[in-house]
Amino acid sequence: RLRNITTWPSPGCPPCEAMNKEELGSCNLDPCPESELCVDGAWATWNDWEACSTSCEGGMRWRVRHVQRQATSCGREPSGDSREEEECNKGVPCKASQDCQLSAWSFWSDCSASCHGIKKRERSVLQHGYGAGKYCEGILEEAFPCALGIS
């Protein structure tokens, strides 16, 4: 039961005596009659899973259920959780898989010396491999011995 202050003290008068505003007491303490059927509580079916919290690289999703049937006073409450959680979109890359792309080799450079020289050529990575795509393999620069007029 509840109670409230109905008349506030006038200015200069002592404040109201401090007392509890609510009072709780036991009820229905008598045992259930033998004729009352003891019914256990039961869960409703699980709701659908909520959307994943992220669209890629892993997130969380959950679902809930509610009590469909309350237990009577002599029955048992339903057991188990009212909420389930699980990981989702784990391993789903945020970026589509792509293969490595290398540029074509450049032309060979001129020989660096008339004797015991070196000529070079190079290429570059145009696009790095990602996800399930092929990653870049191989060298990006080649050098070869040369001499002017011979190679």
Side-chain angles (χ1 to χ4, degrees), residues 68-111:
Q68 181 177 20
R69 181 181 61 236
Q70 294 289 341
T72 58
S73 59
C74 57
R76 290 180 294 179
E77 294 296 323
S79 64
D81 296 327
S82 63
R83 178 182 169 110
E84 284 185 331
E85 296 176 355
E86 69 177 12
E87 291 180 337
C88 52
N89 291 336
K90 191 173 184 179
V92 175
C94 291
K95 187 170 144 183
S97 294
Q98 65 185 21
D99 290 339
C100 168
Q101 289 184 358
L102 297 172
S103 69
W105 284 103
S106 66
F107 292 108
W108 284 101
S109 68
D110 293 333
C111 194

Side-chain angles (χ1 to χ4, degrees), residues 28-137:
N28 297 329
L29 297 176
D30 296 331
C32 295
E34 300 239 353
S35 61
E36 183 179 342
L37 187 60
C38 290
V39 177
D40 292 338
W43 291 110
T45 57
W46 286 103
N47 290 353
D48 292 335
W49 288 99
E50 294 293 325
C52 190
S53 61
T54 60
S55 59
C56 56
E57 298 295 345
M60 293 297 291
R61 67 180 189 160
W62 60 90
R63 65 182 182 170
V64 295
R65 63 181 175 174
H66 303 282
V67 174
Q68 181 177 20
R69 181 181 61 236
Q70 294 289 341
T72 58
S73 59
C74 57
R76 290 180 294 179
E77 294 296 323
S79 64
D81 296 327
S82 63
R83 178 182 169 110
E84 284 185 331
E85 296 176 355
E86 69 177 12
E87 291 180 337
C88 52
N89 291 336
K90 191 173 184 179
V92 175
C94 291
K95 187 170 144 183
S97 294
Q98 65 185 21
D99 290 339
C100 168
Q101 289 184 358
L102 297 172
S103 69
W105 284 103
S106 66
F107 292 108
W108 284 101
S109 68
D110 293 333
C111 194
S112 63
S114 57
C115 288
H116 307 294
I118 296 176
K119 60 182 180 177
K120 296 180 182 180
R121 69 177 184 165
E122 58 187 31
R123 62 182 176 174
S124 60
V125 175
L126 299 175
Q127 174 176 284
H128 290 278
Y130 182 80
K134 292 180 184 176
Y135 286 78
C136 297
E137 294 181 8

